[in-house]
Amino acid sequence: MPDADIRMRVNGVTRRATVPPRLTLADYLRERCGLTGTHLGCEHGVCGACTVLLDGEAVRACLVFAVQADDAEVTTVEGLAAPDGELSPVQAAFRDNHGLQCGFCTPGFVVSVTALLRDNPDPTDEQIREGLSGNLCRCTGYQGILKAVRAAARTADRAPAADGAPATEKAR
């Protein structure tokens, strides 16, 4: 098969490239865009280290071909922080609540939690566990991660939205 021309918005920046049809989105992000926060662990969609948002949905970038993301919006862990570098509420909560140790799985968790809290801003512990069941960590024991998700849920209503627009206060 011949190479394909693709265009996508990655973290708000339009990117164009000619890629082999079997190049994964993870490899495209890492090799062509220099966004190495998207980690490759198992390369079988099991570990969740490569999780990104594709048109707002959390997906495993190792299971998506770059050509499948043509004309799509992709957000990586690098795109979650504010333009001035201020961490997102989820990133800050992981830092503040010991939700990471070696850091290898952290980008995938942060992206997954961002999507989880967008869809369910006040999840129960059971919903948090279910929402993170596709992400694996070998270091933390998960308690710091759960604590970080709870903390991020409490602060998300005071933070700007991922697109930079001011968030509205939500009633509790």
Side-chain angles (χ1 to χ4, degrees):
M1 286 173 91
D3 288 354
D5 293 329
I6 60 170
R7 181 187 67 78
M8 66 183 79
R9 287 185 55 80
V10 180
N11 299 333
V13 176
T14 299
R15 306 261 187 168
R16 297 175 191 280
T18 301
V19 299
R22 298 193 54 84
L23 179 72
T24 67
L25 180 58
D27 286 332
Y28 172 77
L29 294 168
R30 291 180 59 79
E31 296 169 10
R32 304 282 181 98
C33 300
L35 298 169
T36 56
T38 301
H39 291 168
L40 287 169
C42 68
E43 297 189 56
H44 296 285
V46 175
C47 72
C50 66
T51 304
V52 299
L53 299 178
L54 179 61
D55 288 333
E57 296 299 317
V59 300
R60 304 294 187 263
C62 73
L63 297 180
V64 176
F65 292 122
V67 295
Q68 292 175 289
D70 188 30
D71 290 326
E73 181 79 29
V74 177
T75 305
T76 69
V77 69
E78 292 94 341
L80 297 179
D84 66 0
E86 181 179 348
L87 297 178
S88 74
V90 174
Q91 291 169 315
F94 267 71
R95 177 198 62 208
D96 296 344
N97 293 279
H98 309 288
L100 60 124
Q101 283 186 22
C102 82
F104 189 82
C105 67
T106 304
F109 270 102
V110 168
V111 172
S112 293
V113 170
T114 299
L116 171 69
L117 294 179
R118 179 201 60 217
D119 296 342
N120 183 356
D122 193 20
T124 65
D125 283 356
E126 183 177 322
Q127 290 167 326
I128 293 169
R129 284 184 186 92
E130 175 64 26
L132 298 181
S133 64
N135 294 78
L136 301 177
C137 175
R138 296 176 62 128
C139 300
T140 67
Y142 294 94
Q143 295 312 306
I145 294 170
L146 293 171
K147 187 177 174 186
V149 176
R150 289 185 211 111
R154 287 191 301 273
T155 61
D157 61 329
R158 295 190 304 268
D163 62 6
T168 57
E169 287 292 318
K170 64 181 179 189
R172 289 231 178 219

